Amino acid sequence: MYEIDYAKFGTFLSQLRREKGMTQKELAERLFLSDKAVSKWERGLSLPDIALLQPLADLFEVTITELLSGQYIREDQPLLVKDVDPLLAMALEMTAQEKECQAVHRRHWRRIFIGCFAALAAELLLLHRVFPLWDAFSSILWLPPLMAVVFGAYFIFFAKEKLPAFYDQYKINFYSDGCMRMNLPGVYFNNRNWPHILNTLRGWSCATIAAWVPCYALLRWISSPLPELAGAMVMLAACLAALLGGLFIPVAVVGRKYQ
């Protein structure tokens, strides 16, 4: 088993960056990352995602082989099989580490989702003694938690952690996978913003599932003394705020920021 020399990789990356006259912040902006990520690479604390190797190589006008080996390779310097094999093993090891990190991340969100769903069930058992859970006056209020359960189940249990390569090659402003369709005008989906979009969707879903029953009870209490039309308007405004302000707008902002 071969392992990448983190320190050598970081030193070489720092050298390449300085030769281009770039700061860590400028490099991070070119890759749509934070400068903290670049700092960790150069200090030998972590490695970039394998999908970033080619953009890094293109930016610094070196080969991926040179990046992985942490040194320049002269054109007249032949590479033998014994030299290439460890580099390939390193790349495979990076891919395995990436997949393991993704699996750990997904398991973390699954535990949160199940806990929030259990909290929702317990809250519903308590609430039904106080308010009717479903009537003409409040039925619209159950749209956000219903969407949260559907979106949360899909994006936590089934959604891919990484998009196909063609999303990085072309400007695609929609996501399609089986029955799931998502379109955000002005946002192009790729593997730079997809992890952030996933986390936003997952976070909104879990927070909405866990907190909606208390919010529902509060809205019923606020709207109960109001005329029927005014109460319905209050509930409609709350529903739109949860869907637009809590879901679609943050996803669009995050998607544009990291695309």
Side-chain angles (χ1 to χ4, degrees):
M1 179 65 66
Y2 296 94
E3 294 184 1
I4 291 180
D5 188 330
Y6 283 34
K8 188 175 182 181
F9 181 94
T11 300
F12 186 54
L13 184 63
S14 177
Q15 174 189 339
L16 293 172
R17 177 180 58 78
R18 291 196 302 271
E19 289 175 357
K20 288 290 185 180
M22 299 174 64
T23 64
Q24 289 183 347
K25 184 176 181 180
E26 289 171 338
L27 174 57
E29 289 175 350
R30 295 286 293 273
L31 298 173
F32 302 96
L33 300 168
S34 70
D35 52 352
K36 292 182 180 179
V38 176
S39 175
K40 287 184 178 180
W41 299 344
E42 294 189 357
R43 287 183 290 148
L45 300 179
S46 66
L47 292 170
D49 188 289
I50 194 169
L52 294 174
L53 291 179
Q54 189 62 60
L56 280 169
D58 293 341
L59 180 61
F60 294 125
E61 299 177 346
V62 295
T63 65
I64 293 179
T65 302
E66 288 174 315
L67 275 178
L68 291 174
S69 61
Q71 61 185 345
Y72 284 115
I73 298 175
R74 301 192 311 272
E75 292 184 2
D76 61 347
Q77 180 180 350
L79 283 177
L80 303 177
V81 172
K82 67 180 181 65
D83 299 317
V84 176
D85 277 352
L87 296 178
L88 294 176
M90 291 176 186
L92 292 174
E93 177 67 15
M94 288 179 66
T95 303
Q97 290 177 352
E98 180 185 355
K99 289 181 178 178
E100 177 59 26
C101 288
Q102 291 175 354
V104 171
H105 189 64
R106 187 185 290 270
R107 287 196 295 270
H108 171 72
W109 276 112
R110 285 175 177 172
R111 288 193 291 268
I112 293 176
F113 179 82
I114 292 171
C116 291
F117 194 83
L120 174 64
E123 290 166 353
L124 288 175
L125 289 174
L126 294 174
L127 184 66
H128 86 281
R129 301 175 182 273
V130 182
F131 295 117
L133 297 181
W134 191 273
D135 56 28
F137 188 62
S138 62
S139 58
I140 191 173
L141 280 181
W142 292 101
L143 180 60
L146 179 61
M147 289 185 62
V149 171
V150 174
F151 276 36
Y154 171 77
F155 285 106
I156 290 174
F157 289 89
F158 304 107
K160 296 179 176 63
E161 297 287 336
K162 198 166 186 177
L163 296 175
F166 62 82
Y167 277 92
D168 295 326
Q169 298 170 357
Y170 305 101
K171 291 185 176 181
I172 301 175
N173 66 351
F174 67 90
Y175 169 77
S176 177
D177 181 32
C179 63
M180 178 58 67
R181 301 286 189 276
M182 185 166 56
N183 186 296
L184 292 174
V187 175
Y188 300 112
F189 293 93
N190 52 56
N191 282 301
R192 291 183 296 274
N193 62 12
W194 183 242
H196 303 283
I197 291 174
L198 273 182
N199 284 336
T200 302
L201 287 165
R202 291 166 171 173
W204 174 84
S205 297
C206 292
T208 301
I209 291 170
W212 194 252
V213 169
C215 292
Y216 171 86
L218 178 62
L219 287 169
R220 287 297 300 256
W221 178 74
I222 292 173
S223 61
S224 58
L226 299 175
E228 184 175 349
L229 179 59
M233 293 301 294
V234 168
M235 293 187 175
L236 179 60
C239 184
L240 291 175
L243 292 177
L244 296 178
L247 176 60
F248 296 114
I249 291 176
V251 170
V253 169
V254 166
R256 288 181 63 84
K257 179 179 179 181
Y258 293 100
Q259 73 181 7

